[in-house]
Amino acid sequence: MNRAFNRKKDKSWMHTPEALAKHFIAYNVKFLGHTEVDQPKGTEVVKDAVRKLKFQKHIKKSEGQKIPKVELQISIYGVKILDPKSKEVQYNCQLHRISFCADDKTDKRIFTFICKDSESNKHLCYVFDSEKCAEEITLTIGQAFDLAYKKFLESGGKDVETRKQIGGLQKRIQDLEAENSELKKQLQVLEEQLMIAQVPPGSSMSSKTPTDIFDMAPFSPMTPLVPLPASNGSAPPPPARPTEISRDLFGAEPFDPFTCGAADFPPDIQSKLDEMQEGFKMGLTVEGTVFSLDPLEGRC
């Protein structure tokens, strides 16, 4: 494994600049995995990584596990590792983070590159099995480096500054989203505390008015009078009856023969009532027979 990418040595490239600048070059390979390394470059560094991942490959094969297949998309912007069926991006290694790329001369199928992770800032070595085209993939990545470097020189380094600014803005957006999520949680806690504080003390579900099976309060024609206890602790006085006299349908007061007296009627009506009472005392004549109402006479 002795090929490290060198722009001066490789002057003839396999692909057109437009293919890598406007599109990408795709390769289907097997992904042995990635492992952390302590150096950003070096032949011995990648040899140790390949040896480690090959050993893990044999263990997986002995356990019946297959080496996953992936699709590599190489352009001047980086190397993407995708699922070949769903096209889902598994890893996106930006080109300016790739510090070393090499293929193994003793094993034409193996090639590798070292990339600095954007989140952990650790150097990771990615190893692939490329079915006898490891050198071609390594040259394609080298051509992408060459074109990206030329573009950098033409722009005067503006692209790098723009990428840094975009990266800073993206990091700021992530921080703001995390802060917004935390503020939402705090707001929810405060709303719950406010709802608990608004509930009056001693109130419970049992104090509600009982309802029937239709969830309706029972009908009551009048509100019952509940006597309140006196301030001195003695029994409350009985409720007073209403002084207003109830009247009938026509607005007249009800007649009570036990309470009304002579003074309750006008003089002319009272005199007629007296005459009628005298007549009842004298007796009644029914079909020529006299009936006495006086109980002292004994019989009719």
Side-chain angles (χ1 to χ4, degrees), residues 217-237:
F219 172 75
S220 175
M222 61 181 297
T223 304
L225 298 176
V226 181
L228 298 176
S231 60
N232 56 3
S234 60

Side-chain angles (χ1 to χ4, degrees), residues 68-99:
K69 294 182 179 180
V70 296
E71 177 182 326
L72 293 181
Q73 292 183 358
I74 303 172
S75 67
I76 62 173
Y77 302 104
V79 179
K80 290 183 179 180
I81 305 173
L82 301 87
D83 183 273
K85 294 182 180 180
S86 64
K87 301 300 180 182
E88 180 183 359
V89 179
Q90 299 177 355
Y91 301 96
N92 185 12
C93 303
Q94 298 176 350
L95 203 65
H96 67 278
R97 291 185 173 274
I98 297 177
S99 56

Side-chain angles (χ1 to χ4, degrees), residues 42-274:
T43 304
E44 294 300 324
V45 174
V46 295
K47 277 185 178 181
D48 292 339
V50 171
R51 191 180 301 110
K52 178 180 178 180
L53 291 175
K54 276 187 174 181
F55 179 72
Q56 294 179 1
K57 171 186 173 183
H58 292 307
I59 294 177
K60 291 180 180 179
K61 276 190 173 182
S62 63
E63 294 176 351
Q65 298 182 19
K66 293 183 178 180
I67 306 301
K69 294 182 179 180
V70 296
E71 177 182 326
L72 293 181
Q73 292 183 358
I74 303 172
S75 67
I76 62 173
Y77 302 104
V79 179
K80 290 183 179 180
I81 305 173
L82 301 87
D83 183 273
K85 294 182 180 180
S86 64
K87 301 300 180 182
E88 180 183 359
V89 179
Q90 299 177 355
Y91 301 96
N92 185 12
C93 303
Q94 298 176 350
L95 203 65
H96 67 278
R97 291 185 173 274
I98 297 177
S99 56
F100 191 81
C101 179
D103 59 89
D104 191 348
K105 291 303 180 182
T106 61
D107 190 348
K108 298 291 184 179
R109 300 174 304 174
I110 302 298
F111 86 95
T112 180
F113 62 82
I114 298 176
C115 179
K116 188 177 183 180
D117 186 67
S118 59
E119 296 181 358
S120 63
N121 286 329
K122 296 180 180 179
H123 296 284
L124 302 178
C125 183
Y126 294 79
V127 181
F128 303 90
D129 187 335
S130 58
E131 296 294 335
K132 298 183 180 181
C133 61
E135 184 177 359
E136 178 181 343
I137 297 176
T138 305
L139 288 174
T140 302
I141 295 177
Q143 184 179 1
F145 265 105
D146 186 72
L147 293 173
Y149 182 70
K150 290 180 179 179
K151 186 177 180 181
F152 168 75
L153 294 178
E154 291 174 357
S155 63
K158 294 181 181 179
D159 289 347
V160 176
E161 294 298 328
T162 303
R163 290 178 184 176
K164 287 183 179 179
Q165 292 177 2
I166 293 175
L169 291 174
Q170 290 177 347
K171 185 66 169 60
R172 179 59 177 165
I173 291 172
Q174 292 178 357
D175 295 340
L176 290 175
E177 288 178 350
E179 183 179 355
N180 187 27
S181 178
E182 183 65 24
L183 290 175
K184 285 183 178 179
K185 292 180 180 179
Q186 295 180 4
L187 179 61
Q188 184 178 2
V189 173
L190 291 175
E191 289 178 351
E192 293 176 355
Q193 294 177 354
L194 181 61
M195 291 177 63
I196 294 175
Q198 288 178 350
V199 177
S203 63
S204 61
M205 295 298 294
S206 60
S207 63
K208 293 184 178 179
T209 305
T211 57
D212 56 12
I213 59 174
F214 300 102
D215 198 22
M216 298 179 65
F219 172 75
S220 175
M222 61 181 297
T223 304
L225 298 176
V226 181
L228 298 176
S231 60
N232 56 3
S234 60
R241 293 187 177 183
T243 57
E244 183 181 357
I245 301 176
S246 60
R247 299 177 181 273
D248 59 9
L249 182 63
F250 300 100
E253 297 179 359
F255 173 73
D256 189 355
F258 299 99
T259 59
C260 62
D264 295 335
F265 300 100
D268 54 346
I269 296 177
Q270 185 65 42
S271 62
K272 291 183 179 181
L273 288 175
D274 293 341

